[in-house]
Structures are given as structure tokens and as C-alpha cells.
Amino acid sequence: NLLPSSVEVYTEQAYLSEDIAIPEAILKHIDKRKDNVFVFDRGVQSRKTFNELDNEQINFVTRLNSPVRKEVLETYVLPDNVIINNLTTLSDEKILLFDRKNKKSNPLRLIVTEDEKGETLLFLTNMFDKQIEEIIQIYKRRWDIEVFFRFIKQELNFKHFMSTSINGIKIILYMTLILSMLILLYKKYNKVGYKTAKRRFYYEMEELYMAIIITMSGGDPALVFR
């Protein structure tokens, strides 16, 4: 609920497609607990991918592009309060999706909503036992991913690579993730913002290792590096 749990580095051009990279990452690092839900954005649209995840009994929530070619199997009765945050729920259906070859997907659930500007937002999931509000709130948690990406890019300079070799990139990535976890934990337990946590963490770490150096050297730092 706070820290990254795994990382994958892809080097082949095919993995520029999120339809390939994201499902593989999910299937490779799958946590089989039934209460886990995987959330991803509209970069994944492959009906085959949805089937693979569903066949593995992996719960997911995503957004779907419009228009949608579908077959409606069942239409659910909407609750009295269909307004969630800024979204008004228009329909809740059990459907089959069609791919480009007219093959049908597994039965999935499609929730159609509309925001205050009249834009239609489609939420797709394979969970039929959750309330509409739960599905939308689960997808909303995906924003945590964007916040984390922005944090490591802007605050930890991950957008600049000091090496272009695969091994070098991995080392930089792992070091950045370790540092990010330390700062995020510091931020949580001290109840401060990202910038404040980064600055205070730096100064406190500097004081800590300088104290260690002075202790080890008996007051002469030059002895530490002999």
C-alpha cells in the first residue's frame, strides 16, 4: 500500500506495447491472494489479455476505450445513488467483448459512467461481487502509481540515465527504488510532504554517517579511508 513490490526491465522493442509488457509483468509476479486486485490503464486493450487474466483468476479493474463492440448478457439494476464523486453511473452490464477477428471474450463486467463535462468513462472488470462504487474507487487508486512515477522522476532524477547498458540501468533503477522506499517511509512516519522528506532525510543521513566516520576514526577522518 506504499512501496513498490517488484520491477521488470524490458529491452525488446515489442515491449513498447503495454498490451504485451503489463500482462507479462502481472503474470510473472502474481500474488495468488484472492483479495488482490490489479489496476492498469487504457494502454491494455487486448481482449486476449483480459481472457488470460480472467482464466488465471486474477482480479483486475481497467478503463476501456469507446466505442465498444459487445454482446450484453445481463443488465444489472442500478442502485438509488448512482453518483460517485463526479461520475454518474449510466449502466452496469455483464458483457462479452469482440476482438478484431470477432472472437468473443470471457464474460466481463462493464460499468458506463459520465462526468460533469459529459465525457463517457468505461470501467471494465472481472469482479461481479463488488459494488459499483468499490470498482470506481479501486481504479482511482491507480493515481498512486502516477504520483510515484512523478516522485522518482522529479525528486530523484530517475529521468536521467548515467549508463545506457542494461546492467547500468538496472543498478540505477534498484538504487532509486531503495532510496524511494526509505524516503517514503520517512515521509509516512514523520507526516511531511515529499520535498520536506527528501531534504530532511538527506541532512539526517549526512549527520549520521559523519558521526560514524568520526567515531571510527577517533576524530581523524583520514584514518577511515586507509
Side-chain angles (χ1 to χ4, degrees), residues 16-17 30 46 50-51 56 69 93 112 120 141 148 155 162 174 207 210:
L16 290 173
S17 168
I30 180 62
S46 169
F50 298 149
N51 283 349
E56 292 290 331
R69 295 177 59 239
E93 301 171 330
V112 180
T120 301
R141 292 297 304 274
F148 180 74
E155 302 298 333
M162 292 179 286
Y174 295 144
E207 291 177 2
M210 285 304 298

Side-chain angles (χ1 to χ4, degrees), residues 209-226:
Y209 66 69
M210 285 304 298
I212 294 173
I213 289 174
I214 292 171
T215 300
M216 291 176 60
S217 64
D220 183 3
L223 295 176
V224 178
F225 304 104
R226 286 185 177 178

